[in-house]
Amino acid sequence: MKRLRKKTATGTLFQLPSYLILSLIVFLPSFWAIFMSMTNYAIAGANYNNLQFTFLSNYFRLFTDPEFGNSLLITLEFAIITTAVEVSLSLILAIVIRGLNRILQYLYYVVILAGTILPLSVSIYMFINVFHFKYGILAQTSFIPAVDWFSSYAFLTVILCEIWVNIGWIFFLYVTSIDGVPLQYFELAELDSLDLIQKIKNVYFPQIKGVIIVTLLFGLINGLQSFMIIMSLTNGGPRNLTEVISLFAYKQAFKLFDFGYGTTANMILFLLIVVLLVPLNRSINPFGRKGGEPRGEYQETV
Amino acid sequence: MANTRKLCKTAIKYSFLLTFIIVFSIPLPWLVITAFNSLGQTFYGSFAFTLDNFSAVFQEYRLMNSLLNSLIISTMAAALTTCISLMSAYSIARLNPPKKNSYLRLLAFCLFLPFSTVMIPIYAIASFLRLTNTYSGPAIIICAFELPFFIWLSKAVIERLPNELEDMCQLDGISSLQTLVRIVVPNIRGAITAIFLLSFASAWNELTIPFLLTTSPDKYPASLFILYFIRENGLSRQATYSPGLFAAFSLIYVLPSILIYIVTKVFLRKDPYKSSVILG
């Protein structure tokens, strides 16, 4: 008995560094965010050293702020469009590429996974090189009309960059989960001479439904909190056309020094993400399929 | 009739694949071509092979300094992450600490906590602790956000180790720390290498955290240097920073993360405890 108690004490001792660092960098800021959103905390400007508890007035101010309403809409639009394109495109690619030969497959893997493996800063650098209005690759070609992409088509450009960066890991998830589908399903489908659309409907979809849900939720979470790409490509411009919530909060905090108000905007973003985390938590299991029992609707259609 | 339909479908399939690869690979060759081109940034037509851009990178103080900063920060972050996650994972897997399940649940919370929503309080705390414009600041914060994932990972690795060796250690009265260092660590060397390399790569690639914490140019890591270079200079053909020079710098900066990716994917396949490590 004595030894057991000693053992658990050592266990806590071993966990101590992680507790320390996580509470300092993760828990404390998360709880402090709630407190900060109810104050007029500022590190410079008029409210510096004039900390007042303002309770919910930041939230009321936020809901009557048309700029915030605008950025909320843009955030949702951005997240939904990028997720829809990423998930459908990578699903189609993962299915189509299976039929190609080995060398072509590797070529596609390299191109698709590039955005995920390369550092974000280099991806952004390359994207600016593609779309720059004067020196960009598109500007130098003759068959695409020269436009200033970052001001005329800012939203489209930002979405393209986000998709290019994020599609890799979603594609990778689909490839691994399709590899996990038992071969007899495909053999049966071959025997029934199903075409691609029937195969998608009856074989792929029931088998990897769980992964599709997970990637949808992950993609939405990723799109909602996207910050660096938009910040460095358009910085919210032109006017407020690409100003997502995280960028709105960043500008409030670090340009106008209103930390309290910026944190309030981020709290709304956090609540949006928590709403998505609940179903994600429930459906995270399908990564590993249970047992050897075949399942799915294909069973019934055969 | 059926033949035409089939032909049509094949045509659609291959035109889709072709369009996709053309659109998606536009950004990639530019970097390589510009880096090896002595004529600057003309993408079409004129190309003359040279290595001058690379030798120019090594003579430029600010570029090398930022690479060094990146190296320092990511080594610190990776070392911290590896040590701390190993200790916590060993504790969870073997030592049966109190409140184990709530600890794991907390880790899951940290894993999904979006960084951009806690950016502002983290900056406030970091500036209170005098962590801005240092090497240790970004290293500690990167480590904190990497920890949950790597604790889960090393927990899975340690749980797969057979228990008998550690039982022997207990019989001999060796302390838990000694058991971890002398028995567990040598047995999962490959997995530890992978954990160190993966955390090094993600710290090396990290952009948002240094962006938040670092304002003085001589502390910029390479990722931040690239970003600020874009913002200051656009793509203008300045005498000091030609696009060729900068493309070469980006290639040098990209090299470690690609190498680490290949190493973890290919060489560590042989390690018996690999499968839980090489998921991502």
Side-chain angles (χ1 to χ4, degrees):
Chain A
M1 193 59 213
K2 200 183 164 194
R3 229 186 90 202
L4 194 70
R5 203 181 301 141
K6 187 179 164 246
K7 209 175 167 188
T8 58
T10 341
T12 314
L13 207 66
F14 270 53
Q15 282 177 322
L16 216 60
S18 68
Y19 270 128
L20 190 74
I21 206 162
L22 285 178
S23 53
L24 192 68
I25 308 295
V26 183
F27 302 137
L28 185 63
S30 337
F31 289 110
W32 208 26
I34 302 172
F35 169 74
M36 261 168 79
S37 70
M38 297 183 186
T39 64
N40 64 352
Y41 185 87
I43 50 156
N47 281 329
Y48 182 58
N49 272 347
N50 178 28
L51 189 67
Q52 274 167 9
F53 193 70
T54 54
F55 201 47
L56 288 179
S57 75
N58 269 335
Y59 288 89
F60 292 131
R61 190 180 145 202
L62 198 67
F63 286 124
T64 49
D65 191 344
E67 243 184 82
F68 178 75
N70 170 46
S71 54
L72 181 66
L73 267 182
I74 287 170
T75 311
L76 291 176
E77 216 173 303
F78 180 78
I80 290 170
I81 294 176
T82 48
T83 313
V85 176
E86 280 162 15
V87 168
S88 49
L89 192 61
S90 50
L91 183 57
I92 294 170
L93 278 170
I95 291 170
V96 172
I97 285 173
R98 276 173 62 88
L100 298 177
N101 68 34
R102 207 94 192 119
I103 298 163
L104 273 178
Q105 269 185 15
Y106 276 124
L107 180 69
Y108 275 92
Y109 284 174
V110 167
V111 171
I112 296 169
L113 288 176
T116 311
I117 299 167
L118 292 182
L120 186 59
S121 48
V122 174
S123 304
I124 291 170
Y125 179 50
M126 290 196 296
F127 249 79
I128 290 183
N129 280 311
V130 172
F131 287 110
H132 192 272
F133 72 97
K134 197 167 172 194
Y135 302 116
I137 294 167
L138 293 185
Q140 288 177 22
T141 55
S142 48
F143 49 90
I144 296 171
V147 286
D148 190 355
W149 289 87
F150 293 117
S151 53
S152 312
Y153 299 96
F155 198 58
L156 179 73
T157 317
V158 168
I159 281 179
L160 278 177
C161 185
E162 175 85 13
I163 291 169
W164 195 82
V165 169
N166 274 336
I167 202 169
W169 59 266
I170 294 181
F171 171 79
F172 190 73
L173 273 184
Y174 281 133
V175 168
T176 44
S177 65
I178 287 176
D179 277 346
V181 175
L183 272 178
Q184 64 250 35
Y185 292 105
F186 297 115
E187 283 159 10
L188 276 175
E190 285 301 317
L191 280 180
D192 286 358
S193 62
L194 300 186
D195 62 12
L196 192 65
I197 293 160
Q198 282 171 322
K199 262 193 208 165
I200 290 176
K201 202 174 136 216
N202 294 323
V203 184
Y204 288 109
F205 192 70
Q207 285 297 315
I208 59 171
K209 205 160 43 180
V211 181
I212 292 176
I213 294 170
V214 167
T215 46
L216 271 176
L217 293 169
F218 261 129
L220 278 176
I221 290 170
N222 234 341
L224 284 176
Q225 58 165 308
S226 171
F227 170 73
M228 216 56 222
I229 289 173
I230 301 174
M231 160 96 211
S232 38
L233 285 186
T234 64
N235 200 9
R239 292 186 304 280
N240 290 331
L241 214 67
T242 54
E243 193 174 278
V244 290
I245 295 180
S246 52
L247 199 56
F248 173 84
Y250 177 82
K251 281 183 177 169
Q252 291 294 333
F254 293 100
K255 295 279 175 326
L256 307 172
F257 302 115
D258 198 345
F259 270 44
Y261 193 49
T263 318
T264 316
N266 267 343
M267 289 302 292
I268 303 293
L269 182 62
F270 184 68
L271 287 180
L272 276 177
I273 291 173
V274 166
V275 169
L276 292 172
L277 279 181
V278 175
L280 180 67
N281 221 349
R282 208 172 294 158
S283 60
I284 202 92
N285 286 330
F287 272 123
R289 288 177 305 103
K290 282 158 265 162
E293 201 62 32
R295 65 185 170 87
E297 285 138 47
Y298 190 54
Q299 221 63 22
E300 291 143 35
T301 60
V302 175
Chain B
M1 189 61 203
N3 216 356
T4 1
R5 259 188 81 185
K6 203 176 171 190
L7 205 71
C8 238
K9 271 179 191 167
T10 320
I12 289 171
K13 185 177 141 190
Y14 280 104
S15 57
F16 165 74
L17 281 173
L18 197 69
T19 330
F20 174 83
I21 205 156
I22 288 172
V23 170
F24 255 63
S25 60
I26 284 176
L28 286 172
W30 173 85
L31 198 68
V32 183
I33 290 173
T34 314
F36 290 103
N37 195 351
S38 63
L39 301 172
Q41 197 209 338
T42 37
F43 186 59
Y44 295 103
S46 48
F47 177 78
F49 182 80
T50 178
L51 286 172
D52 287 351
N53 292 326
F54 288 90
S55 59
V57 169
F58 289 106
Q59 286 157 9
E60 189 71 51
Y61 170 72
R62 278 170 67 184
L63 299 178
M64 291 316 283
N65 187 43
S66 73
L67 279 178
L68 184 69
N69 290 343
S70 265
L71 188 69
I72 293 171
I73 290 173
S74 16
T75 314
M76 277 167 79
L80 261 180
T81 312
T82 315
C83 293
I84 295 177
S85 62
L86 265 181
M87 280 174 77
S88 310
Y90 182 64
S91 163
I92 298 167
R94 294 285 197 253
L95 298 179
N96 197 21
K99 302 247 186 312
K100 180 175 145 186
N101 282 337
S102 42
Y103 179 73
L104 287 175
R105 214 161 288 150
L106 277 179
L107 285 186
F109 168 76
C110 300
L111 191 62
F112 290 121
L113 184 76
F115 177 75
S116 54
T117 60
V118 286
M119 220 163 61
I120 300 166
I122 280 181
Y123 176 79
I125 284 170
S127 66
F128 177 74
L129 293 173
R130 303 269 181 280
L131 285 177
T132 51
N133 283 327
T134 56
Y135 294 130
S136 47
I140 289 171
I141 294 174
I142 290 170
C143 166
F145 277 87
E146 280 177 6
L147 263 184
F149 175 71
F150 285 105
I151 291 176
W152 276 99
L153 214 124
S154 11
K155 172 178 159 283
V157 173
I158 291 175
E159 272 173 353
R160 290 172 55 149
L161 260 182
N163 229 335
E164 282 77 16
L165 282 171
E166 291 155 63
D167 289 346
M168 287 293 288
C169 286
Q170 271 209 335
L171 280 180
D172 289 346
I174 295 174
S175 72
S176 303
L177 188 64
Q178 292 273 330
T179 315
L180 175 62
V181 173
R182 295 222 182 137
I183 305 298
V184 178
V185 169
N187 273 312
I188 53 169
R189 263 188 320 242
I192 290 176
T193 318
I195 289 169
F196 183 86
L197 288 177
L198 287 174
S199 58
F200 182 91
S202 69
W204 181 264
N205 295 352
E206 184 59 54
L207 178 61
T208 327
I209 292 168
F211 169 78
L212 193 66
L213 292 181
T214 312
T215 49
S216 98
D218 51 322
K219 291 279 164 58
Y220 284 168
S223 58
L224 201 58
F225 192 86
I226 292 175
L227 191 76
Y228 279 123
F229 175 83
I230 300 167
R231 195 176 302 163
E232 281 163 24
N233 302 346
L235 292 176
S236 57
R237 300 172 190 200
Q238 290 193 352
T240 43
Y241 288 115
S242 67
L245 174 74
F246 218 71
F249 175 63
S250 300
L251 272 192
I252 293 173
Y253 167 61
V254 157
L255 213 59
S257 32
I258 293 178
L259 276 183
I260 286 172
Y261 185 81
I262 294 170
V263 165
T264 49
K265 283 278 172 219
V266 177
F267 294 106
L268 292 173
R269 281 271 145 109
K270 290 167 199 141
D271 194 273
Y273 302 106
K274 94 304 142 135
S275 68
S276 46
V277 179
I278 326 256
L279 262 176

